[in-house]
C-alpha cells in the first residue's frame, strides 16, 4: 500500500482542507488555491488535489467553482456568538470588529455578507470570494465546520493547537500576563480566574495569567462559567462564595461582563473592592468605565482588528501569502 493510500485510509468522514493537504503532501493554502483553480498552482498539482478531494468526498464549493472566472466582490462574515439579554449583537464585540471589516471592504469595492455558521450552505455564502470567521467556538467547533467550505478563510481569535488556520486577534497571552503583573504590583497573594478555557482566546488569557504568576510561586484557582454574560459571572462566583470561605484577593475574569457579575456578587456578600479584593475584566467595553466601581480591564483594539481582517482576507483572495498576526493589548486601570 502506498503512503498516499495509507494517508487516505486514516481520514474519517469529517474531511477538511488540512486532511487533503496531508494526503497530497502540500500546504493547506495550496489545496485552497487548487480547489479554486488558482493560476498560482500548476495544472498537474491542481488535478492531483481535485482528484483527491473527489475521492475523499470533500464538499466542493459549487457556486464558487461556477464563478471561478470572475469575482462576486463579496466576503462572508460568520459571527460565532450566542446573543443574550446582557450580551447583544450590538455590543462592542462584534460590532467594532464588523465596523472595521465593513470600512475596509467597502473602500476596496467589496460587500460584507453577514451570516452565521448555520447558513454556510446558502448561496450568498457559497458564492462569496472568502470567509471571515469571528470566534472559533468551544473546542474550535465553529472553525472546523467553516473550514469545510473550501473558501479562503481568515479567523478572529487565537492560534488553535488542533487546527491550522490564519488568525488575526489580540495578544491574549500578553493581556493575561499584564493582569498578573498588575496583581503582583498590588501585592495580591491568592488568585481566581473566571473563564471557559475550552475557547482558544480564553485559554491564552489564562496561560498568560497563570504562567506569569507561577514564576513568583503563586497558584491560581479557576471557575468555568456557563456563558460570557453578567448573569453567568454572578452565578458562578456567588456559588463559590456560599460554598467555602472566600480567601482570594485577586479575581481575573475573561470578559468584562463576567467581571461585572463577579463584582456584584462580591459586593452583595459584603466584600470591599478593591480594599479586600481586586477585580480585572477583559475587553474594555464602554460600560466598564461607567460601572460602579469603574472596572479595570484589558483593552482590545477591535476596530483595528476588523480592518486588518479585511485587508488580509482580500490579500488571500488575490492569492497572496498571508500570515497570522496578533494585535497588542492595554491594561486600563480604574477603581477595581
Amino acid at each position: 500500500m502506498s503512503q498516499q493510500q495509507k494517508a487516505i485510509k486514516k481520514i474519517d468522514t469529517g474531511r477538511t482542507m488540512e486532511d487533503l493537504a496531508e494526503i497530497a503532501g502540500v500546504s493547506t493554502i495550496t489545496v485552497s488555491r487548487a480547489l479554486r483553480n488558482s493560476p498560482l498552482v500548476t495544472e498537474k498539482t491542481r488535478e492531483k488535489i481535485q482528484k483527491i478531494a473527489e475521492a475523499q468526498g470533500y464538499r466542493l464549493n459549487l457556486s464558487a467553482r461556477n464563478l471561478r472566472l470572475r469575482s462576486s466582490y463579496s466576503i462572508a462574515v460568520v459571527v460565532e456568538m450566542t446573543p443574550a439579554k446582557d450580551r447583544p449583537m450590538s455590543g462592542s464585540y462584534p460590532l467594532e470588529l464588523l465596523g472595521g471589516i465593513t470600512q475596509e471592504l467597502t473602500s476596496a469595492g467589496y460587500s460584507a455578507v453577514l451570516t452565521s455558521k448555520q447558513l454556510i450552505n446558502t448561496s450568498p455564502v457559497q458564492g462569496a470570494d472568502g470567509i471571515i470567521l469571528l470566534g472559533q467556538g468551544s473546542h474550535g467547533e465553529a472553525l472546523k465546520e467553516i473550514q469545510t467550505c473550501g473558501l479562503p478563510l481568515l479567523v478572529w481569535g487565537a492560534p488553535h493547537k488542533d487546527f491550522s488556520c490564519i488568525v488575526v486577534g489580540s495578544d491574549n497571552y500578553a493581556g493575561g500576563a499584564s493582569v498578573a503583573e498588575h496583581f503582583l504590583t498590588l501585592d495580591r497573594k491568592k488568585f481566581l480566574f473566571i473563564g471557559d478555557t475550552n475557547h482558544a482566546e480564553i485559554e491564552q488569557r489564562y496561560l498568560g495569567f497563570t504562567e506569569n504568576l507561577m514564576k513568583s510561586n503563586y497558584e491560581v484557582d479557576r471557575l468555568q462559567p456557563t456563558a460570557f454574560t453578567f448573569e453567568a459571572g454572578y452565578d458562578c462566583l456567588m456559588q463559590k462564595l456560599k460554598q467555602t470561605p472566600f480567601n482570594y484577593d485577586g479575581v481575573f475574569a475573561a470578559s468584562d461582563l463576567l467581571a461585572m457579575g463577579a463584582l456584584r456578587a462580591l459586593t452583595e456578600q459584603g466584600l470591599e473592592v478593591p480594599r479586600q479584593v481586586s477585580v480585572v475584566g477583559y475587553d474594555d467595553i464602554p460600560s466598564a468605565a461607567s460601572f460602579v466601581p469603574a472596572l479595570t480591564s484589558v483593552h482590545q483594539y477591535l476596530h483595528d482588528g476588523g480592518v486588518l481582517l479585511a485587508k488580509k482576507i482580500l490579500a488571500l483572495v488575490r492569492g497572496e501569502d498571508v500570515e497570522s498576526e496578533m494585535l497588542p493589548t492595554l491594561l486600563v486601570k480604574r477603581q477595581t
Side-chain angles (χ1 to χ4, degrees):
M1 182 181 291
S2 68
Q3 288 298 111
Q4 180 169 306
Q5 288 172 322
K6 289 178 181 178
I8 290 173
K9 192 174 181 180
K10 289 192 301 180
I11 307 302
D12 61 21
T13 55
R15 309 313 195 257
T16 68
M17 279 199 290
E18 290 175 286
D19 298 330
L20 301 185
E22 179 183 355
I23 295 167
V26 298
S27 66
T28 305
I29 188 62
T30 298
V31 172
S32 175
R33 289 170 178 167
L35 295 178
R36 291 184 288 117
N37 288 281
S38 169
L40 295 175
V41 180
T42 65
E43 183 178 354
K44 181 179 179 181
T45 301
R46 283 204 307 273
E47 290 179 356
K48 173 186 174 182
I49 291 171
Q50 289 175 0
K51 285 180 180 178
I52 291 172
E54 184 177 357
Q56 290 297 296
Y58 184 82
R59 185 169 61 204
L60 294 173
N61 185 338
L62 297 178
S63 297
R65 184 175 64 187
N66 292 336
L67 293 170
R68 63 180 177 267
L69 297 179
R70 60 187 176 89
S71 171
S72 68
Y73 292 99
S74 69
I75 299 296
V77 183
V78 179
V79 181
E80 169 59 16
M81 176 181 176
T82 303
K85 180 176 65 176
D86 58 350
R87 189 178 181 237
M89 292 282 285
S90 57
S92 56
Y93 176 88
L95 209 56
E96 286 189 43
L97 278 171
L98 291 170
I101 290 169
T102 304
Q103 171 187 305
E104 188 63 27
L105 290 181
T106 301
S107 299
Y110 276 73
S111 61
V113 179
L114 183 61
T115 187
S116 65
K117 65 182 176 65
Q118 289 81 7
L119 300 174
I120 60 172
N121 290 319
T122 59
S123 296
V125 178
Q126 292 292 306
D129 295 333
I131 298 177
I132 295 173
L133 173 61
L134 303 182
Q136 295 151 275
S138 179
H139 301 287
E141 290 172 356
L143 173 58
K144 183 178 181 180
E145 187 170 347
I146 299 299
Q147 280 185 324
T148 64
C149 288
L151 288 169
L153 173 64
L154 207 65
V155 180
W156 172 263
H160 197 288
K161 59 182 180 295
D162 296 327
F163 302 97
S164 175
C165 60
I166 303 169
V167 179
V168 170
S170 295
D171 191 337
N172 292 284
Y173 185 93
S178 69
V179 179
E181 183 179 347
H182 173 65
F183 281 160
L184 292 176
T185 300
L186 296 175
D187 199 30
R188 299 305 184 184
K189 305 291 186 184
K190 183 74 174 176
F191 307 100
L192 183 65
F193 178 85
I194 304 175
D196 183 355
T197 55
N198 290 319
H199 294 258
E201 290 175 273
I202 308 306
E203 181 184 36
Q204 285 299 307
R205 293 169 197 177
Y206 175 72
L207 289 174
F209 183 58
T210 56
E211 289 180 1
N212 281 275
L213 287 174
M214 285 190 291
K215 292 176 183 177
S216 301
N217 295 319
Y218 290 107
E219 294 183 0
V220 181
D221 289 333
R222 179 165 62 92
L223 291 178
Q224 183 162 312
T226 57
F228 291 94
T229 63
F230 179 100
E231 185 178 5
Y234 175 89
D235 287 346
C236 73
L237 190 55
M238 184 60 79
Q239 186 176 10
K240 183 76 171 177
L241 286 162
K242 290 180 177 180
Q243 284 177 344
T244 58
F246 193 84
N247 59 350
Y248 303 97
D249 57 7
V251 175
F252 175 30
S255 77
D256 285 345
L257 290 175
L258 288 172
M260 291 173 183
L263 273 168
R264 181 64 55 82
L266 290 168
T267 54
E268 284 188 7
Q269 292 299 304
L271 291 165
E272 295 182 37
V273 177
R275 190 183 70 82
Q276 292 176 280
V277 187
S278 293
V279 179
V280 177
Y282 207 103
D283 292 330
D284 192 29
I285 60 177
S287 56
S290 58
F291 196 76
V292 180
L295 178 65
T296 296
S297 181
V298 179
H299 181 79
Q300 296 195 84
Y301 296 92
L302 296 177
H303 184 272
D304 294 343
V307 171
L308 190 57
L309 281 165
K311 286 182 175 180
K312 285 182 178 287
I313 192 63
L314 292 178
L316 205 58
V317 167
R318 293 192 296 266
E320 300 172 12
D321 290 331
V322 175
E323 295 182 350
S324 296
E325 186 171 343
M326 296 294 109
L327 296 171
T329 59
L330 175 67
L331 180 67
V332 181
K333 298 177 184 179
R334 297 193 178 97
Q335 297 174 359
T336 62

